[in-house]
Amino acid sequence: MNYIDFLKELDKKLKKYYEQHKEHLHCCPGCSSCCESGDYPLSATELEYLMQGYAKLSDNEKRIVQNNIKNIVKGGACPFLIDKKCSVYPYRPIICRTHGLAYLCKEETVKVPYCANAGLNYSDVYSDGEIVINPITENLDSISLLKNFDCGEIRNLADWLL
Ligand code: SF4
Ligand code: SF4
């Protein structure tokens, strides 16, 4: 399966999962704290696709992204974030698509988005680092999902761009 077909299938599944947990989720345009600090690991294939999104930006948006890249710091804001919105949303990597959900990952542990601590996703069902509802039962960890096809090397976004 190629990456674009994989994304189409993934997005279909994620739509169902976001619907399943919608009463506990707060993701919406303009909510961007998950894009303001992080490592954003992504593969060579995802980076290539992300840059296709960059190529479609206006000259002004490109200037802003380039300036953000000049000032990029490891663990900091994603340079593609402009005015609290993702400028390359249809082209964003897998980790950005799955991040808001709580899901079962390896060794039966549950991955909960960090914003549960900030009164956002799952905060109504979150206590002591755990959620009290059933998580999504598919492992949505991006590195695990990337094992489905040959996507090349995986690095954090800053390491690709620096
Ligand atoms: S994952 Fe959390 S911080 Fe990110 S958009 Fe959703 S609610 Fe906002
Ligand atoms: S690519 Fe878009 S969604 Fe992903 S971290 Fe950057 S701004 Fe956020």
Side-chain angles (χ1 to χ4, degrees), residues 32 35-36 40 42 46-57 61-70 72 76-93 96 156-158 160-161:
S32 61
C35 307
E36 288 167 16
Y40 325 106
L42 78 165
E46 292 172 278
L47 181 71
E48 197 183 317
Y49 193 55
L50 188 65
M51 295 317 285
Q52 286 180 32
Y54 169 78
K56 289 186 191 287
L57 297 181
E61 288 169 323
K62 281 182 183 158
R63 264 193 297 276
I64 294 171
V65 171
Q66 282 305 327
N67 195 45
N68 290 343
I69 289 174
K70 261 192 235 152
I72 198 169
C78 172
F80 297 94
L81 188 67
I82 301 180
D83 293 335
K84 293 192 165 284
K85 289 197 184 138
C86 177
S87 62
V88 288
Y89 190 77
Y91 299 87
R92 69 203 187 288
C96 309
N156 292 343
L157 184 60
W160 281 117
L161 298 175

Side-chain angles (χ1 to χ4, degrees), residues 6-7 10-11 13-15 17-18 21 25 27 34 41 46 89 92-103 111-114 121-122 136 138-146:
F6 177 78
L7 280 186
L10 179 67
D11 282 345
K13 275 196 288 189
L14 291 176
K15 196 173 168 201
Y17 293 152
Y18 275 96
H21 278 182
L25 303 178
C27 301
C34 53
E46 292 172 278
Y89 190 77
R92 69 203 187 288
I94 292 173
I95 192 161
C96 309
R97 295 169 196 258
T98 62
H99 177 78
L101 291 166
Y103 56 84
K111 172 83 174 59
V112 179
Y114 89 96
N121 286 4
Y122 301 102
I136 302 300
E138 178 174 353
N139 183 359
L140 297 172
D141 169 60
S142 62
I143 309 289
S144 305
L145 290 171
L146 285 166

